[in-house]
mmCIF file of all heavy atoms in Angstrom:
data_model
loop_
_atom_site.group_PDB
_atom_site.id
_atom_site.type_symbol
_atom_site.label_atom_id
_atom_site.label_comp_id
_atom_site.label_asym_id
_atom_site.label_seq_id
_atom_site.Cartn_x
_atom_site.Cartn_y
_atom_site.Cartn_z
ATOM 1 N N VAL A 154 26.304 13.939 -9.916
ATOM 2 C CA VAL A 154 24.925 14.471 -9.803
ATOM 3 C C VAL A 154 23.993 13.223 -10.032
ATOM 4 O O VAL A 154 24.044 12.627 -11.130
ATOM 5 C CB VAL A 154 24.618 15.548 -10.784
ATOM 6 C CG1 VAL A 154 23.158 15.982 -10.741
ATOM 7 C CG2 VAL A 154 25.503 16.752 -10.501
ATOM 8 N N PRO A 155 23.127 12.880 -9.084
ATOM 9 C CA PRO A 155 22.228 11.729 -9.286
ATOM 10 C C PRO A 155 21.135 12.034 -10.280
ATOM 11 O O PRO A 155 20.870 13.193 -10.597
ATOM 12 C CB PRO A 155 21.673 11.473 -7.868
ATOM 13 C CG PRO A 155 21.718 12.796 -7.212
ATOM 14 C CD PRO A 155 22.990 13.497 -7.769
ATOM 15 N N ASP A 156 20.512 10.976 -10.762
ATOM 16 C CA ASP A 156 19.358 11.184 -11.654
ATOM 17 C C ASP A 156 18.294 11.914 -10.919
ATOM 18 O O ASP A 156 18.018 11.698 -9.743
ATOM 19 C CB ASP A 156 18.838 9.815 -12.116
ATOM 20 C CG ASP A 156 19.845 9.086 -12.996
ATOM 21 O OD1 ASP A 156 20.741 9.753 -13.532
ATOM 22 O OD2 ASP A 156 19.704 7.841 -13.189
ATOM 23 N N ILE A 157 17.630 12.839 -11.618
ATOM 24 C CA ILE A 157 16.603 13.645 -11.057
ATOM 25 C C ILE A 157 15.238 13.056 -11.545
ATOM 26 O O ILE A 157 15.010 12.853 -12.730
ATOM 27 C CB ILE A 157 16.706 15.108 -11.436
ATOM 28 C CG1 ILE A 157 18.007 15.672 -10.831
ATOM 29 C CG2 ILE A 157 15.527 15.931 -10.925
ATOM 30 C CD1 ILE A 157 18.265 17.095 -11.241
ATOM 31 N N TYR A 158 14.313 12.849 -10.583
ATOM 32 C CA TYR A 158 13.001 12.308 -10.890
ATOM 33 C C TYR A 158 11.954 13.341 -10.468
ATOM 34 O O TYR A 158 12.141 14.120 -9.577
ATOM 35 C CB TYR A 158 12.744 10.975 -10.131
ATOM 36 C CG TYR A 158 13.520 9.838 -10.667
ATOM 37 C CD1 TYR A 158 14.868 9.681 -10.367
ATOM 38 C CD2 TYR A 158 12.895 8.886 -11.517
ATOM 39 C CE1 TYR A 158 15.601 8.595 -10.877
ATOM 40 C CE2 TYR A 158 13.603 7.793 -12.021
ATOM 41 C CZ TYR A 158 14.932 7.683 -11.724
ATOM 42 O OH TYR A 158 15.600 6.636 -12.215
ATOM 43 N N ASP A 159 10.834 13.326 -11.210
ATOM 44 C CA ASP A 159 9.748 14.194 -10.897
ATOM 45 C C ASP A 159 9.127 13.817 -9.571
ATOM 46 O O ASP A 159 9.188 12.664 -9.113
ATOM 47 C CB ASP A 159 8.693 14.143 -12.018
ATOM 48 C CG ASP A 159 9.173 14.688 -13.296
ATOM 49 O OD1 ASP A 159 9.987 15.687 -13.252
ATOM 50 O OD2 ASP A 159 8.784 14.189 -14.373
ATOM 51 N N PRO A 160 8.450 14.793 -8.868
ATOM 52 C CA PRO A 160 7.790 14.401 -7.639
ATOM 53 C C PRO A 160 6.664 13.410 -7.905
ATOM 54 O O PRO A 160 6.173 13.268 -9.040
ATOM 55 C CB PRO A 160 7.178 15.773 -7.174
ATOM 56 C CG PRO A 160 7.993 16.804 -7.900
ATOM 57 C CD PRO A 160 8.429 16.221 -9.194
ATOM 58 N N PRO A 161 6.200 12.725 -6.879
ATOM 59 C CA PRO A 161 5.103 11.731 -7.014
ATOM 60 C C PRO A 161 3.851 12.356 -7.686
ATOM 61 O O PRO A 161 3.460 13.500 -7.305
ATOM 62 C CB PRO A 161 4.842 11.253 -5.594
ATOM 63 C CG PRO A 161 6.085 11.511 -4.855
ATOM 64 C CD PRO A 161 6.642 12.739 -5.459
ATOM 65 N N ASP A 162 3.276 11.669 -8.587
ATOM 66 C CA ASP A 162 2.125 12.132 -9.303
ATOM 67 C C ASP A 162 0.851 11.799 -8.442
ATOM 68 O O ASP A 162 0.523 10.663 -8.206
ATOM 69 C CB ASP A 162 1.986 11.411 -10.642
ATOM 70 C CG ASP A 162 0.815 11.927 -11.470
ATOM 71 O OD1 ASP A 162 0.131 12.850 -11.003
ATOM 72 O OD2 ASP A 162 0.585 11.415 -12.566
ATOM 73 N N GLY A 163 0.228 12.864 -7.914
ATOM 74 C CA GLY A 163 -0.923 12.675 -7.063
ATOM 75 C C GLY A 163 -2.094 12.028 -7.822
ATOM 76 O O GLY A 163 -2.877 11.252 -7.193
ATOM 77 N N ASN A 164 -2.242 12.264 -9.083
ATOM 78 C CA ASN A 164 -3.313 11.654 -9.841
ATOM 79 C C ASN A 164 -3.181 10.139 -9.891
ATOM 80 O O ASN A 164 -4.167 9.383 -9.884
ATOM 81 C CB ASN A 164 -3.350 12.172 -11.273
ATOM 82 C CG ASN A 164 -3.770 13.656 -11.308
ATOM 83 O OD1 ASN A 164 -4.564 14.121 -10.479
ATOM 84 N ND2 ASN A 164 -3.218 14.424 -12.263
ATOM 85 N N ALA A 165 -1.898 9.685 -9.965
ATOM 86 C CA ALA A 165 -1.642 8.215 -9.983
ATOM 87 C C ALA A 165 -2.132 7.596 -8.660
ATOM 88 O O ALA A 165 -2.719 6.480 -8.672
ATOM 89 C CB ALA A 165 -0.170 7.926 -10.264
ATOM 90 N N ALA A 166 -1.845 8.288 -7.536
ATOM 91 C CA ALA A 166 -2.267 7.763 -6.211
ATOM 92 C C ALA A 166 -3.803 7.667 -6.140
ATOM 93 O O ALA A 166 -4.325 6.650 -5.677
ATOM 94 C CB ALA A 166 -1.735 8.590 -5.137
ATOM 95 N N ARG A 167 -4.423 8.721 -6.561
ATOM 96 C CA ARG A 167 -5.912 8.739 -6.471
ATOM 97 C C ARG A 167 -6.499 7.691 -7.393
ATOM 98 O O ARG A 167 -7.544 6.980 -7.025
ATOM 99 C CB ARG A 167 -6.467 10.108 -6.831
ATOM 100 C CG ARG A 167 -6.221 11.162 -5.716
ATOM 101 C CD ARG A 167 -6.918 12.447 -6.089
ATOM 102 N NE ARG A 167 -6.280 13.159 -7.182
ATOM 103 C CZ ARG A 167 -5.288 14.035 -6.993
ATOM 104 N NH1 ARG A 167 -4.793 14.267 -5.759
ATOM 105 N NH2 ARG A 167 -4.732 14.639 -8.037
ATOM 106 N N GLN A 168 -5.918 7.519 -8.599
ATOM 107 C CA GLN A 168 -6.420 6.506 -9.515
ATOM 108 C C GLN A 168 -6.292 5.104 -8.996
ATOM 109 O O GLN A 168 -7.208 4.310 -9.051
ATOM 110 C CB GLN A 168 -5.695 6.648 -10.827
ATOM 111 C CG GLN A 168 -6.140 5.636 -11.887
ATOM 112 C CD GLN A 168 -5.298 5.784 -13.191
ATOM 113 O OE1 GLN A 168 -4.569 6.734 -13.367
ATOM 114 N NE2 GLN A 168 -5.498 4.832 -14.046
ATOM 115 N N GLN A 169 -5.137 4.747 -8.400
ATOM 116 C CA GLN A 169 -4.937 3.441 -7.878
ATOM 117 C C GLN A 169 -5.776 3.147 -6.640
ATOM 118 O O GLN A 169 -6.282 2.045 -6.470
ATOM 119 C CB GLN A 169 -3.473 3.248 -7.546
ATOM 120 C CG GLN A 169 -2.505 3.301 -8.748
ATOM 121 C CD GLN A 169 -2.942 2.382 -9.891
ATOM 122 O OE1 GLN A 169 -3.497 2.875 -10.903
ATOM 123 N NE2 GLN A 169 -2.748 1.100 -9.714
ATOM 124 N N VAL A 170 -5.977 4.150 -5.831
ATOM 125 C CA VAL A 170 -6.813 3.965 -4.602
ATOM 126 C C VAL A 170 -8.247 3.787 -5.068
ATOM 127 O O VAL A 170 -9.008 2.914 -4.474
ATOM 128 C CB VAL A 170 -6.730 5.207 -3.714
ATOM 129 C CG1 VAL A 170 -7.827 5.144 -2.639
ATOM 130 C CG2 VAL A 170 -5.337 5.216 -3.059
ATOM 131 N N GLN A 171 -8.704 4.450 -6.092
ATOM 132 C CA GLN A 171 -10.079 4.263 -6.611
ATOM 133 C C GLN A 171 -10.243 2.836 -7.179
ATOM 134 O O GLN A 171 -11.291 2.199 -6.996
ATOM 135 C CB GLN A 171 -10.431 5.323 -7.657
ATOM 136 C CG GLN A 171 -11.857 5.256 -8.156
ATOM 137 C CD GLN A 171 -12.869 5.410 -7.029
ATOM 138 O OE1 GLN A 171 -12.799 6.325 -6.235
ATOM 139 N NE2 GLN A 171 -13.853 4.525 -6.972
ATOM 140 N N ILE A 172 -9.248 2.376 -7.897
ATOM 141 C CA ILE A 172 -9.350 0.995 -8.391
ATOM 142 C C ILE A 172 -9.429 0.005 -7.251
ATOM 143 O O ILE A 172 -10.209 -0.973 -7.323
ATOM 144 C CB ILE A 172 -8.087 0.729 -9.257
ATOM 145 C CG1 ILE A 172 -8.092 1.580 -10.522
ATOM 146 C CG2 ILE A 172 -7.982 -0.753 -9.617
ATOM 147 C CD1 ILE A 172 -6.852 1.453 -11.368
ATOM 148 N N LEU A 173 -8.702 0.221 -6.202
ATOM 149 C CA LEU A 173 -8.747 -0.651 -5.023
ATOM 150 C C LEU A 173 -10.155 -0.590 -4.396
ATOM 151 O O LEU A 173 -10.707 -1.631 -4.007
ATOM 152 C CB LEU A 173 -7.686 -0.300 -3.991
ATOM 153 C CG LEU A 173 -7.719 -1.159 -2.729
ATOM 154 C CD1 LEU A 173 -7.526 -2.628 -3.027
ATOM 155 C CD2 LEU A 173 -6.599 -0.674 -1.758
ATOM 156 N N ARG A 174 -10.730 0.590 -4.278
ATOM 157 C CA ARG A 174 -12.077 0.715 -3.745
ATOM 158 C C ARG A 174 -13.077 -0.086 -4.560
ATOM 159 O O ARG A 174 -13.941 -0.782 -4.028
ATOM 160 C CB ARG A 174 -12.541 2.178 -3.662
ATOM 161 C CG ARG A 174 -11.878 2.994 -2.585
ATOM 162 C CD ARG A 174 -12.613 4.247 -2.306
ATOM 163 N NE ARG A 174 -12.008 5.048 -1.242
ATOM 164 C CZ ARG A 174 -11.198 6.079 -1.359
ATOM 165 N NH1 ARG A 174 -10.890 6.426 -2.626
ATOM 166 N NH2 ARG A 174 -10.735 6.709 -0.339
ATOM 167 N N ASP A 175 -12.962 0.029 -5.875
ATOM 168 C CA ASP A 175 -13.866 -0.761 -6.760
ATOM 169 C C ASP A 175 -13.690 -2.246 -6.543
ATOM 170 O O ASP A 175 -14.662 -3.020 -6.521
ATOM 171 C CB ASP A 175 -13.652 -0.322 -8.203
ATOM 172 C CG ASP A 175 -14.009 1.075 -8.456
ATOM 173 O OD1 ASP A 175 -14.779 1.659 -7.706
ATOM 174 O OD2 ASP A 175 -13.517 1.638 -9.508
ATOM 175 N N ALA A 176 -12.397 -2.664 -6.426
ATOM 176 C CA ALA A 176 -12.131 -4.089 -6.248
ATOM 177 C C ALA A 176 -12.693 -4.561 -4.924
ATOM 178 O O ALA A 176 -13.241 -5.719 -4.817
ATOM 179 C CB ALA A 176 -10.631 -4.339 -6.338
ATOM 180 N N LEU A 177 -12.533 -3.760 -3.864
ATOM 181 C CA LEU A 177 -13.048 -4.166 -2.542
ATOM 182 C C LEU A 177 -14.589 -4.241 -2.578
ATOM 183 O O LEU A 177 -15.187 -5.089 -1.887
ATOM 184 C CB LEU A 177 -12.579 -3.122 -1.479
ATOM 185 C CG LEU A 177 -11.044 -3.116 -1.247
ATOM 186 C CD1 LEU A 177 -10.693 -2.005 -0.286
ATOM 187 C CD2 LEU A 177 -10.583 -4.493 -0.626
ATOM 188 N N ALA A 178 -15.136 -3.286 -3.270
ATOM 189 C CA ALA A 178 -16.632 -3.311 -3.409
ATOM 190 C C ALA A 178 -17.108 -4.602 -4.106
ATOM 191 O O ALA A 178 -18.103 -5.219 -3.762
ATOM 192 C CB ALA A 178 -17.133 -2.068 -4.119
ATOM 193 N N TYR A 179 -16.348 -4.962 -5.108
ATOM 194 C CA TYR A 179 -16.684 -6.237 -5.816
ATOM 195 C C TYR A 179 -16.497 -7.479 -4.887
ATOM 196 O O TYR A 179 -17.352 -8.373 -4.856
ATOM 197 C CB TYR A 179 -15.738 -6.403 -7.026
ATOM 198 C CG TYR A 179 -15.912 -7.653 -7.786
ATOM 199 C CD1 TYR A 179 -16.961 -7.823 -8.701
ATOM 200 C CD2 TYR A 179 -15.072 -8.756 -7.613
ATOM 201 C CE1 TYR A 179 -17.124 -9.042 -9.384
ATOM 202 C CE2 TYR A 179 -15.214 -9.947 -8.299
ATOM 203 C CZ TYR A 179 -16.245 -10.056 -9.188
ATOM 204 O OH TYR A 179 -16.443 -11.225 -9.855
ATOM 205 N N VAL A 180 -15.435 -7.435 -4.119
ATOM 206 C CA VAL A 180 -15.225 -8.546 -3.112
ATOM 207 C C VAL A 180 -16.359 -8.562 -2.101
ATOM 208 O O VAL A 180 -16.879 -9.629 -1.778
ATOM 209 C CB VAL A 180 -13.880 -8.431 -2.420
ATOM 210 C CG1 VAL A 180 -13.759 -9.494 -1.300
ATOM 211 C CG2 VAL A 180 -12.754 -8.555 -3.472
ATOM 212 N N GLU A 181 -16.808 -7.380 -1.662
ATOM 213 C CA GLU A 181 -17.904 -7.281 -0.696
ATOM 214 C C GLU A 181 -19.191 -7.918 -1.293
ATOM 215 O O GLU A 181 -19.905 -8.640 -0.676
ATOM 216 C CB GLU A 181 -18.178 -5.826 -0.373
ATOM 217 C CG GLU A 181 -17.108 -5.149 0.443
ATOM 218 C CD GLU A 181 -17.353 -5.273 1.891
ATOM 219 O OE1 GLU A 181 -18.336 -5.939 2.326
ATOM 220 O OE2 GLU A 181 -16.566 -4.710 2.681
ATOM 221 N N THR A 182 -19.419 -7.624 -2.593
ATOM 222 C CA THR A 182 -20.577 -8.158 -3.294
ATOM 223 C C THR A 182 -20.509 -9.673 -3.317
ATOM 224 O O THR A 182 -21.538 -10.394 -3.119
ATOM 225 C CB THR A 182 -20.708 -7.560 -4.684
ATOM 226 O OG1 THR A 182 -20.819 -6.123 -4.548
ATOM 227 C CG2 THR A 182 -21.984 -8.105 -5.358
ATOM 228 N N VAL A 183 -19.386 -10.202 -3.714
ATOM 229 C CA VAL A 183 -19.187 -11.655 -3.766
ATOM 230 C C VAL A 183 -19.335 -12.304 -2.448
ATOM 231 O O VAL A 183 -20.057 -13.385 -2.334
ATOM 232 C CB VAL A 183 -17.817 -11.972 -4.411
ATOM 233 C CG1 VAL A 183 -17.544 -13.504 -4.358
ATOM 234 C CG2 VAL A 183 -17.706 -11.479 -5.859
#
């Protein structure tokens, strides 16, 4: 029986995408 992992955490995806948006906005400003 292989190791069982939880399904992907949707909150983690939204959090990382938001961090990227903030970084891209900063790059736009620069």
